[in-house]
Amino acid sequence: MNSNIGIVIKREYLERVSKKSFIFTTILMPLFMAAIMIAPALITMFSTPELKHIAVIDNSGIIAPTLKNGDGVEFISITDSIEVAKANDSIDGILLINSDILTSQTGATLYTHDASSMLIEQNITSQIENTIKNIRLKNYDLENLDQIINDINADITLTTYRINEEAEDSSSSSTLSYIIGMIMSLLLYMFLLLYGQLVMTSIIEEKNNRVLEIMVSSIKPGQLMMGKILGIGAVALTQVLIWGLIIVSMSAYVLPSIIPAEIMGEVNAFNAGSLNAATASNDIEMLQALSVISNVSYVVSLFVYLILFLLGGFLFYAAMNAAIGSAVDNVQDASQLQSVVMIPIILGLVMSMSIINDPNSTIATTLSMIPFTAPMTMMTRIPFGIPTWEIITSLVILYISFIGMVWLSAKIYRVGIFMYGKKPSIKEILRWINYK
C-alpha cells in the first residue's frame, strides 16, 4: 500500500515542481507581494501632485490671510462675485467663505470645474479649522497663549510588554502583530484555495481522460486519492519552505548588514530593555518592527506554525475537493458544489479581519478551534502571543478532523470516479457514503 501511494505522490509532485510556472511563481510571488506593499508608498513618495489654483472669496475677512500655499494648492484672494469667478476658466476652483464662518459649520463652500480632490478638501478644511480654533482661543484673552498651547501639547509613545508563562517580559507592537497576522491569514487563504482547486481539477481531467479507470485496476481508489492529496500538498509545502528560507536568510544576514550601526544599536538596546524612549533618536514603533523582523528565532517559529496550519488546512480541504472532483465531469459543475468548500475559507478570512481587533475574545478562540476556520483565524492570532496550549489544541483538532474528512471523502471518491454523464445532487453524494 505504501509503495502504491508513494508512486502517486512522486508522480504528482515531480509533475508540478518541474513546470516553469512553479519556478516562476515561487520566485516571483514574494517579489509581487513586496511590490504590492511597497508600490503605493513609492508612488506617494515620488508622485508630484498637479498644482491647483483656488480663488478665495472671503466675506468674513479673517480666513483668506491665514491660508498657506502647499500640498499642490495655491490660494488666490479675489474680490469678484461668485458668478464672475465661476466664468473664469484659468482657475481650478473657488472657495467661498461666508461672513458667519466663526459660528456656522457650513460657512465654507468649494466650487470646482472638475472632480474635487480629497487631499485639497482636507487641506482647506484643516487650515480653516485651525484658524477658527486660534481665533476662539484668543477671545479668552489669555496671556502667553502660544506658550501655553506648546506646553500642554503631549506626544506619548506607548511601549507594550506582554507577560506570559513561557518567557520573560517581551516587547510587542500591536500594529506589527496586526500586519503579520493579516499577511499569514492571506497566505493561508491563497494556498487553501489555489492548491485545493488544483486537486479537484486534476481529478476531473483524469476522470474525463479515463485515466482513473486504468489506475484503479492496480491501486485502490482511497490510496489513489490520498496519493494525489499528499503529492500536491508536498508541492505547496516546498513553495512555503523556499519562501521561508529566503525570508529567514534576509532576517539573519541581509537586514543586519544594511541597517545603519546606530539604528541597530538602538534595536539591540530595545531588545535588552535598556533603551530610554525619551532619548532615542529613532521612532519606537520602527525599532519594535526591526526588533521583530531581525529576530531569527521568532521568524522561524512563525513559519513553523504557518507550515503546520497550512498542511493541516490543505489536507482537510483537499479531501473535500477530491470528493467534489470525483463526483462531476467538468469544472462548471464542480464550481456549484465547491461553494461548500469556499464559503468556510472565505468566512475564516473575513472573521480574521474582525477578531484581529481582539485576538483573545471568545469568538476568536472558538473559531480557532473549528477546523473549517482554524487555519486562518489561528495564524491571525499567533503574532499577538496567544497561549501555546491553544495552538496545540487547535492543531490536534484540525488533524483529527482531517482524518475524518479523508474517511468520508474516500467513500465518495470510490463511487464518484465511475460516475459519468450526470451531475449528482448533494443528497446523492451523501448516499454514496453509505454504500458498502
Side-chain angles (χ1 to χ4, degrees), residues 175-190:
T175 302
L176 187 61
S177 298
Y178 181 98
I179 295 172
I180 294 174
M182 286 311 306
I183 291 174
M184 293 292 185
S185 182
L186 285 169
L187 276 175
L188 276 172
Y189 170 80
M190 179 184 69

Side-chain angles (χ1 to χ4, degrees), residues 351-415:
M351 293 305 298
S352 294
M353 297 178 182
S354 174
I355 67 173
I356 204 169
N357 295 316
D358 187 5
N360 294 309
S361 64
T362 302
I363 184 65
T365 305
T366 303
L367 290 174
S368 299
M369 300 302 164
I370 300 174
F372 289 94
T373 56
M376 281 75 67
T377 53
M378 185 57 83
M379 283 310 304
T380 302
R381 298 177 62 215
I382 285 176
F384 288 90
I386 63 173
T388 303
W389 70 264
E390 288 190 21
I391 302 174
I392 295 174
T393 303
S394 178
L395 284 170
V396 170
I397 294 174
L398 180 60
Y399 280 86
I400 291 176
S401 301
F402 150 67
I403 295 173
M405 186 60 67
V406 167
W407 179 78
L408 287 174
S409 298
K411 286 179 168 290
I412 298 172
Y413 185 88
R414 65 178 181 175
V415 178

